[in-house]
Amino acid sequence: MSKHVLHALRHTDPQLAWLIRAEEKRQFDKIRLIASENYVSRAVLEASGTVLTNKYSEGYAGKRYYEGQEFIDQIEELAIKRAQDLFGAEHVNVQPYSGSPANLAVYLAFLSPGDTVLGMALPHGGHLTHGANVSITGKYFKAFSYGLDEGTHQLNYENIRALALEHKPKMIIAGHSAYPRIPDFERFRAIADEAGAILMVDMAHFAGLVAGKAHPSPIPYADVVTSTTHKTLRGPRGGIILCKEKYAAAIDKAVFPGVQGGPHNHTTAAMAVAFKEASLPAFETYAAQIVANARALATALTKRGFTLITGGTDNHLILADLANKNISGRAAAVALNAAGIVLNCNAVPFDKRKPFDPSGIRIGTAAVTSRGFMEAEMEQIAVCIDEVIRAPEDAALHARIAGEVASLCSKFPPPGLG
Ligand SMILES: Cc1ncc(COP(=O)(O)O)c(C=O)c1O
């Protein structure tokens, strides 16, 4: 993409143009396994880089604080309608700048400072905004957390129910950043009803799988659903909130003027494109392949002696505990990066190591699936990961694998690049 459109930038700011080109090449040449990343289409990139960035539009269609909204209103309404149709949601707000502000807006809509929430513990796969103590959501609200079952490393609904009945949270949060299984939204709904709580589901990670029908939808069960648009959903960096009509006014008011000012119209337009793409039959094939690839990679890693949390995956991500491999998650991630395989270290449930240098690595298949990798390539990735983790100090081996990775990647040009 940038090769085609950076003419002005190369002239005005050659240093920055060079850096962007270098990042583009990195994205082309490496196997990107960070579970929250993807490759957006050229159409999404184009919409993101338009004159829509020039326009201020505080408010909502038909009720803006500035004039000149005749096209912006149509763009935002198109994005909303497409998201409603894609997810079967009664109401959608497409203005959140990203996942964290979307979540914050939900807190503002339903809670007062000091109110009680119950979310998934950060070290067990929850997100910072689910009440972690370093987050505003943990500082301004009374946050309790549920963890995973010590034996199965899966959600334990009896335990979640007991915590909900004990603490009587005003809001329960389901959803995760690093859990390889599918939450039971019906159980969460029943627990929320029994405890008298609002149920929020944060589907940031698996929204693309929901859109592509490879994952159950939380929409019928949750009072409110938040998401990023840039992970499995393969849209621009942004956030959305989907809710029942009865909460529409509270949610809209919480986003603007509660948490944000003017929406990022270029992002809204790019979201509209992504929602259109995600509604096409090809996206269902894509979503199914993300899961098939994750399962194939999980099987191939298990064959090589890797310990996978919960023993495998039902979604786009795998969490491997490297305790039996005699290497920390960070050391593994650094060595793999040198070999052209980019992922992140991650805490595993009940991790004995510190969060900055935890025991695990998190692996996601959304980006590699976008570039056309299939089960055969997952096998190759597992071989490379295994070789690197057996020899984390062997720079010559890493260089050799990085070359093989670049050669494999050259056969699979990603969307939006080149
Ligand atoms: C479950 C979940 N919610 C929210 C977010 C926050 O999204 P953002 O980084 O866009 O603020 C993330 C990001 O990784 C996430 O995993």
Side-chain angles (χ1 to χ4, degrees):
M1 167 80 175
S2 58
K3 209 157 59 185
H4 303 276
V5 298
L6 292 187
H7 308 295
L9 191 60
R10 276 207 299 268
H11 179 71
T12 307
D13 192 340
Q15 183 186 9
L16 194 71
W18 184 88
L19 287 168
I20 293 171
R21 285 286 293 140
E23 169 61 14
E24 180 173 332
K25 183 165 161 39
R26 188 193 70 80
Q27 291 186 15
F28 194 104
D29 287 343
K30 311 280 178 176
I31 291 177
R32 297 172 60 229
L33 297 173
I34 291 180
S36 46
E37 295 184 359
N38 212 327
Y39 293 98
V40 298
S41 69
R42 187 176 296 266
V44 167
L45 280 179
E46 281 180 3
S48 306
T50 58
V51 294
L52 299 178
T53 197
N54 296 340
K55 185 74 194 107
Y56 239 103
S57 321
E58 284 181 355
Y60 293 98
K63 292 169 289 189
R64 306 275 188 191
Y65 286 79
Y66 304 100
E67 296 312 308
Q69 310 292 352
E70 50 270 41
F71 304 112
I72 297 297
D73 278 3
Q74 292 183 59
I75 289 166
E76 190 168 318
E77 282 179 332
L78 192 58
I80 290 169
K81 174 81 175 62
R82 286 179 180 171
Q84 283 173 316
D85 291 347
L86 183 63
F87 291 109
E90 289 177 19
H91 179 75
V92 180
N93 187 306
V94 295
Q95 294 195 1
Y97 300 143
S98 215
S100 303
N103 288 352
L104 203 52
V106 173
Y107 279 75
L108 182 63
F110 292 115
L111 311 174
S112 299
D115 279 349
T116 302
V117 294
L118 178 64
M120 191 173 185
L122 182 65
H124 286 215
H127 187 258
L128 286 163
T129 53
H130 298 179
N133 57 6
V134 292
S135 155
I136 186 169
T137 59
K139 287 186 192 295
Y140 287 22
F141 301 91
K142 196 165 170 204
F144 293 95
S145 60
Y146 56 87
L148 297 174
D149 185 84
E150 199 150 1
T152 63
H153 290 164
Q154 301 222 21
L155 290 166
N156 177 331
Y157 296 94
E158 271 318 306
N159 177 251
I160 298 168
R161 176 175 173 268
L163 288 167
L165 296 181
E166 182 188 346
H167 299 299
K168 290 277 175 209
K170 210 159 170 189
M171 186 164 81
I172 295 175
I173 304 167
H176 50 81
S177 301
Y179 181 60
R181 300 293 175 179
I182 293 172
D184 185 337
F185 301 121
E186 201 175 343
R187 300 273 313 258
F188 270 109
R189 176 74 265 165
I191 293 167
D193 284 344
E194 204 180 342
I198 292 280
L199 177 61
M200 163 181 159
V201 175
D202 180 346
M203 64 170 181
H205 261 267
F206 51 85
L209 303 183
V210 172
K213 302 188 175 60
H215 188 292
S217 171
I219 301 286
Y221 304 101
D223 296 294
V224 58
V225 174
T226 59
S227 185
T228 54
T229 48
H230 47 269
K231 298 184 171 84
T232 49
L233 191 50
R234 212 160 66 178
R237 302 303 286 238
I240 50 173
I241 304 175
L242 311 94
C243 65
K244 307 257 184 261
E245 190 55 45
K246 64 179 169 180
Y247 300 124
I251 288 294
D252 286 354
K253 207 168 132 209
V255 174
F256 173 84
V259 171
Q260 298 187 169
H264 294 178
N265 298 310
H266 53 302
T267 301
T268 308
M271 277 185 194
V273 178
F275 299 150
K276 181 173 182 179
E277 290 174 348
S279 71
L280 301 175
F283 202 84
E284 283 185 28
T285 311
Y286 167 62
Q289 193 60 47
I290 292 177
V291 178
N293 281 349
R295 289 208 168 116
L297 187 50
T299 303
L301 288 170
T302 304
K303 263 196 302 194
R304 288 167 179 80
F306 283 82
T307 306
L308 305 188
I309 298 303
T310 76
T313 180
D314 292 324
N315 58 23
H316 64 300
L317 72 84
I318 297 163
L319 197 55
D321 181 350
L322 301 179
N324 67 333
K325 297 278 179 187
N326 260 337
I327 184 170
S328 75
R330 179 162 296 278
V334 168
L336 285 163
N337 189 52
I341 297 172
V342 190
L343 45 68
N344 64 283
C345 59
N346 212 99
V348 297
F350 309 99
D351 208 327
K352 294 194 178 60
R353 299 181 64 92
K354 295 245 166 8
F356 196 68
D357 188 13
S359 301
I361 49 174
R362 188 182 66 158
I363 306 172
T365 54
V368 287
T369 306
S370 286
R371 72 188 302 166
F373 279 20
M374 305 290 278
E375 285 85 343
E377 286 72 39
M378 298 304 117
E379 190 71 32
Q380 289 189 56
I381 291 174
V383 171
C384 295
I385 291 177
D386 189 35
E387 278 191 87
V388 173
I389 283 176
R390 281 172 192 279
E393 309 288 341
D394 188 342
L397 174 87
H398 302 167
R400 180 195 33 95
I401 292 178
E404 288 168 14
V405 163
S407 153
L408 176 67
C409 287
S410 70
K411 300 190 194 101
F412 295 87
L417 270 67

